[in-house]
Amino acid sequence: MLIKPFRSYLLLFAIILVVSGCDTRFKGEAFLNEYVVDLNRSQSLSISSPAIVMPKTFPSARYRQQTLSQFDIGLLDFLSLQQCDVGAVAGRKNSILGKVMPDSQRFLYELDIIRAIESCDIKNESLSEELHQVAAQKRLELSKAFSNALFNGVESDAFFSLSNGYLPLNYSTAEQQELLDSLNRLVVIGENLQDLPVIDAGTFEDDLKVLMDSEYAGRLLYSLARIADYLNLVASNVHALNEEVCGAPMTFLKQQFETHYVQKIQPYMGRINRGAYQVLPLLNQLFQISQPLSIEMAEFSSQFSLQQKGSEWQRYQSASQYHAKEWSALFERCSVSIQDR
């Protein structure tokens, strides 16, 4: 029988409660730690809280920014293009504000300048050929411009930040309809880049702001990682138990399993799963449309993959299965029937 300093776990739990009470972003930590603390009340277990091993963080801007070709025209060419939209669109980019336009506006500009060039009847043959080469090159770069708009602004910094903590404990898919609508509109744009979609600038900016305000991707990633850490830790300790815990000790352990995992953690995971199964396919589509990504961005985005081995989602799913398997094996060793659970 294992004896351990129970007071230390109570102290850790008290600290977590104080911290999470002041900061709702990390209430999930106290929620999960209660499971470990109460399991440790059994003399059969001594589980330390899992070390915080963070997922890969959102890369810095230099690893997200994709280089786009520049388009400059001389004064005489500029004057000769005033008969169509090319001059006006190019002038917008060459203005003082245009030179510092954010990536979201640069993406809209790229669509506008391609559309303007391809619709302009340019009489000067050499100028026409030069501009159509520019348009062809910019068509090839549209996925890069789209990627910059999505992943290189303040909106994406907030959307993917791990510092926002856990998804709320009472999170519901009903709260993410606005996010889903925005993601769907962005996917439609991305899938139709070569058709040069006409995009309402206000709606486009609003959709990026919805992503920012939701903080969803970073919160999801953080939640998946920490839940997996706790479930793996509990499962490995339950695995080490033998028939000596059957009887009264098993009754207590079963009670903690039901109180914390069945009644609290598992429903929370169910809410996370339902939301993720709606959002992640759309988010992964946006990553795919934005190819090629930098190595750093590719590694970061792979954590959200529903299928890729080694993704944070797969690690979370594996931890859930491992946790369930080890508890089931213990219940079987102690002849605790499924009905009793």
Side-chain angles (χ1 to χ4, degrees):
M1 185 174 292
L2 186 62
I3 306 296
K4 72 284 187 233
F6 181 57
R7 289 183 180 178
S8 63
Y9 295 105
L10 289 179
L11 177 59
L12 174 62
F13 183 46
I15 293 172
I16 291 176
L17 280 178
V18 170
V19 172
S20 62
C22 299
D23 192 343
T24 58
R25 296 175 302 167
F26 296 97
K27 279 192 174 293
E29 192 70 24
F31 178 74
L32 292 166
N33 197 65
E34 286 177 5
Y35 185 29
V36 169
V37 168
D38 280 356
L39 284 174
N40 279 329
R41 289 166 56 198
S42 166
Q43 293 300 307
S44 304
L45 285 173
S46 180
I47 309 174
S48 301
S49 293
I52 297 179
V53 180
M54 299 291 280
K56 290 183 176 69
T57 58
F58 194 45
S60 60
R62 65 178 178 144
Y63 296 117
R64 292 159 15 211
Q65 179 79 50
Q66 302 207 48
T67 303
L68 304 177
S69 58
Q70 298 298 318
F71 169 49
D72 297 307
I73 55 176
L75 178 60
L76 292 178
D77 290 336
F78 176 77
L79 293 174
S80 69
L81 293 170
Q82 292 306 296
Q83 65 201 33
C84 58
D85 290 340
V86 176
V89 175
R92 193 173 79 218
K93 174 66 173 67
N94 291 325
S95 68
I96 294 175
L97 291 178
K99 292 181 183 299
V100 293
M101 64 172 58
D103 287 298
S104 56
Q105 293 301 305
R106 176 66 187 271
F107 167 63
L108 299 179
Y109 160 79
E110 296 294 314
L111 290 171
D112 287 345
I113 195 65
I114 296 171
R115 193 182 297 110
I117 291 173
E118 293 182 349
S119 64
C120 185
D121 182 18
I122 304 171
K123 304 302 182 183
N124 184 311
E125 186 174 334
S126 62
L127 178 59
S128 176
E129 181 179 352
E130 179 184 350
L131 289 178
H132 278 84
Q133 287 177 355
V134 168
Q137 178 61 33
K138 286 190 172 296
R139 274 187 173 273
L140 295 176
E141 296 175 351
L142 278 176
S143 63
K144 293 183 178 181
F146 186 57
S147 174
N148 288 343
L150 292 180
F151 304 130
N152 201 45
V154 294
E155 298 89 353
S156 58
D157 284 333
F159 184 58
F160 290 109
S161 174
L162 297 178
S163 65
N164 295 321
Y166 289 82
L167 287 170
L169 298 181
N170 60 350
Y171 188 79
S172 167
T173 53
E175 301 173 22
Q176 65 184 34
Q177 189 56 53
E178 189 177 23
L179 173 61
L180 291 173
D181 291 343
S182 293
L183 288 171
N184 272 300
R185 281 191 290 268
L186 294 173
V187 166
V188 169
I189 291 171
E191 290 180 334
N192 294 278
L193 290 177
Q194 291 307 311
D195 295 331
L196 306 180
V198 178
I199 301 170
D200 180 83
T203 301
F204 186 66
E205 295 290 355
D206 286 346
D207 285 339
L208 294 178
K209 187 175 186 303
V210 167
L211 269 62
M212 176 176 69
D213 292 344
S214 76
E215 302 177 345
Y216 180 84
R219 283 177 173 264
L220 174 66
L221 196 60
Y222 190 91
S223 302
L224 297 179
R226 290 304 286 159
I227 291 171
D229 289 343
Y230 272 93
L231 295 187
N232 280 327
L233 186 64
V234 170
S236 64
N237 279 269
V238 169
H239 174 79
L241 298 176
N242 55 34
E243 289 79 1
E244 292 182 6
V245 302
C246 297
M250 185 67 233
T251 300
F252 177 80
L253 292 173
K254 175 174 170 286
Q255 181 185 34
Q256 303 316 312
F257 173 79
E258 291 175 340
T259 299
H260 293 287
Y261 183 72
V262 176
Q263 297 177 17
K264 297 179 181 178
I265 297 173
Q266 193 173 49
Y268 177 50
M269 292 171 63
R271 292 190 291 274
I272 288 175
N273 293 349
R274 286 190 293 275
Y277 279 126
Q278 292 180 341
V279 173
L280 289 186
L282 297 172
L283 182 57
N284 283 310
Q285 279 182 270
L286 291 175
F287 286 134
Q288 185 61 39
I289 290 167
S290 302
Q291 298 288 342
L293 299 170
S294 67
I295 294 174
E296 292 78 9
M297 268 299 293
E299 290 178 347
F300 173 77
S301 64
S302 69
Q303 296 178 107
F304 295 95
S305 173
L306 291 169
Q307 290 87 29
Q308 187 172 329
K309 185 177 180 181
S311 72
E312 203 60 53
W313 177 260
Q314 285 293 324
R315 178 173 171 268
Y316 161 79
Q317 293 293 335
S318 296
S320 176
Q321 294 163 14
Y322 177 40
H323 179 265
K325 175 186 173 184
E326 293 305 329
W327 275 109
S328 294
L330 179 62
F331 291 140
E332 185 175 346
R333 286 196 295 275
C334 291
S335 299
V336 175
S337 68
I338 295 178
Q339 289 77 12
D340 290 340
R341 286 161 55 194

